[in-house]
Amino acid sequence: MPSPRLLASIAALAALVGAVPAAAQEEVNIYSSRHYDTDDSLYAAFTAATGIAVNRIEGEADELIARMKAEGANSPADIFLTVDAGRIWLADKDGLLQPVESETLESRIPAHLRHPDGHWFGLSTRARIIFYARDRVPEPPQTYEALADPRYAGQICIRSSSNIYNLSLMGAIIAHDGEDAARDWATGLHANLARAPEGGDTDQLKGLVSGACDIAVANTYYFARALAEQVDGLTGSTDGIGLVFPNQETTGTHVNVAAAGVAAHAPHRDNAVAFLEFMTTPEAQAHFADQNNEFPVVEGVPVGEIAASLGDSRRDTLNLDALGENQPLAQQIFNEVGFP
């Protein structure tokens, strides 16, 4: 049964959609690697509020970045939207984004969740946390660093080292603990794997249910999705899974972002900025929270009911641009220790 807050959020978006002008006079072109059908109503609400039509091209982040590079100054892209700080950093490194000055964005989005010079802005967050089988792990690791402890040998499921989520996590460990400690961590984590990395985050959680592993690392919204809807092999078995928001006594739990920036050659720059600003309104932030179980970036917007049920935590305030800056070294370290 949808929560009253979710129903109210959907009703508010529906009311906005009903007010869409018959023919929008303006447009904004979004290159997006977010693959969530729930975002359709969000874009419709933006059009209703501004009269700006949304044209969306979806694809994998690397494909969209390559496309923007090939298009050059003739690119129609106004916004690049993706789901990891490491990916938005790659686009910025290639000169595909431009700086934006907006009092609205700077006042609503915490400094550590946006580029220092306004090249990109976090629109929602998700935490990468530790899950474990309650009946097999009486003392689960309480920190990311503890995942490398030999006591957890043969117990851990995690995605491959080339996965952008893990590269970003490693980037944070490099920033906090230094290169040598990060190399030791990668070595220990590799030694503790229950199986060779395979599949996505949902597959790591399924590994807890099947008994393939006892501990898994995954983003919060994958588990929240299993609580909110049917996920084969996971929903119905979540009571046996415990979770830890790591590093509460040190750096805080590692978070990542869905982020967007204005394209370097945006033909509709003002519309692109208006889109970013709309994404930080209470209505849009509630959409991220309620319909995709992400965490709002704007202070004061409540966390969605399902995500809130996971518990609260102190979160890392490292500026997420560091995750991208450390990405090449992160991959180098994983390769050096033979992490698949």
Side-chain angles (χ1 to χ4, degrees):
M1 175 71 66
S3 70
R5 181 166 174 260
L6 176 55
L7 292 173
S9 175
I10 293 172
L13 287 172
L16 284 173
V17 173
V20 177
Q25 299 301 308
E26 297 286 346
E27 63 182 4
V28 63
N29 301 319
I30 300 174
Y31 282 24
S32 173
S33 66
R34 281 177 64 93
H35 307 299
Y36 311 129
D37 292 339
T38 55
D39 283 356
D40 292 344
S41 59
L42 185 60
Y43 298 140
F46 168 72
T47 299
T50 64
I52 300 171
V54 173
N55 304 313
R56 178 173 34 156
I57 292 178
E58 288 190 349
E60 297 301 320
D62 292 344
E63 296 170 354
L64 295 173
I65 289 172
R67 176 171 178 159
M68 292 172 70
K69 289 169 67 175
E71 291 169 342
N74 296 318
S75 177
D78 294 307
I79 290 284
F80 176 65
L81 173 60
T82 189
V83 290
D84 185 275
R87 290 187 175 113
I88 201 79
W89 177 84
L90 287 171
D92 188 38
K93 179 180 70 71
D94 286 337
L96 300 178
L97 305 177
Q98 61 173 284
V100 169
E101 292 185 7
S102 166
E103 291 184 6
T104 297
L105 295 173
E106 292 169 9
S107 64
R108 292 176 178 172
I109 303 173
H112 68 286
L113 299 178
R114 50 184 165 87
H115 187 275
D117 298 317
H119 293 199
W120 56 262
F121 299 87
L123 304 179
S124 65
T125 67
R126 63 285 304 271
R128 193 153 188 78
I129 69 173
I130 296 170
F131 297 88
Y132 63 96
R134 293 182 185 275
D135 62 345
R136 302 192 298 276
V137 186
E139 296 182 10
Q142 298 297 308
T143 66
Y144 298 108
E145 290 83 355
L147 291 168
D149 191 318
R151 68 187 295 189
Y152 300 117
Q155 296 187 56
I156 296 173
C157 283
I158 192 170
R159 291 171 77 158
S160 71
S161 65
S162 61
N163 172 255
I164 194 69
Y165 299 148
N166 286 341
L167 288 174
S168 289
L169 175 58
M170 172 64 97
I173 290 174
I174 292 170
H176 288 306
D177 300 338
E179 180 178 344
D180 290 342
R183 184 173 286 102
D184 291 341
W185 178 76
T187 300
L189 180 63
H190 184 203
N192 287 348
L193 292 179
R195 65 184 183 191
E198 59 181 56
D201 276 17
T202 300
D203 296 298
Q204 314 316 310
L205 296 171
K206 289 180 180 179
L208 298 178
V209 175
S210 69
C213 52
D214 301 326
I215 298 167
V217 179
N219 287 349
T220 45
Y221 68 95
Y222 289 99
F223 187 73
R225 183 179 300 162
L227 297 178
E229 59 188 80
Q230 181 63 39
V231 177
D232 290 343
L234 189 56
T235 300
S237 302
T238 54
D239 287 348
I241 298 176
L243 57 88
V244 173
F245 284 90
N247 293 63
Q248 291 302 288
E249 302 301 320
T250 55
T251 60
T253 295
H254 170 72
V255 295
N256 214 317
V257 284
V262 176
H265 305 290
H268 309 101
R269 186 183 190 279
D270 290 346
N271 294 349
V273 174
F275 175 82
L276 292 178
E277 292 178 345
F278 179 83
M279 292 298 108
T280 65
T281 61
E283 295 83 3
Q285 288 290 293
H287 172 96
F288 287 120
D290 288 327
Q291 297 202 29
N292 202 47
N293 302 307
E294 298 169 87
F295 299 119
V297 298
V298 177
E299 185 177 355
V301 177
V303 175
E305 181 179 353
I306 298 298
S309 72
L310 304 183
D312 198 8
S313 67
R314 186 170 68 87
R315 298 173 192 169
D316 193 352
T317 58
L318 174 72
N319 188 283
L320 297 191
D321 203 51
L323 308 186
E325 292 175 355
N326 288 336
Q327 187 179 141
L329 178 57
Q331 188 65 76
Q332 176 185 323
I333 290 173
F334 276 133
N335 292 344
E336 286 176 356
V337 305
F339 200 109

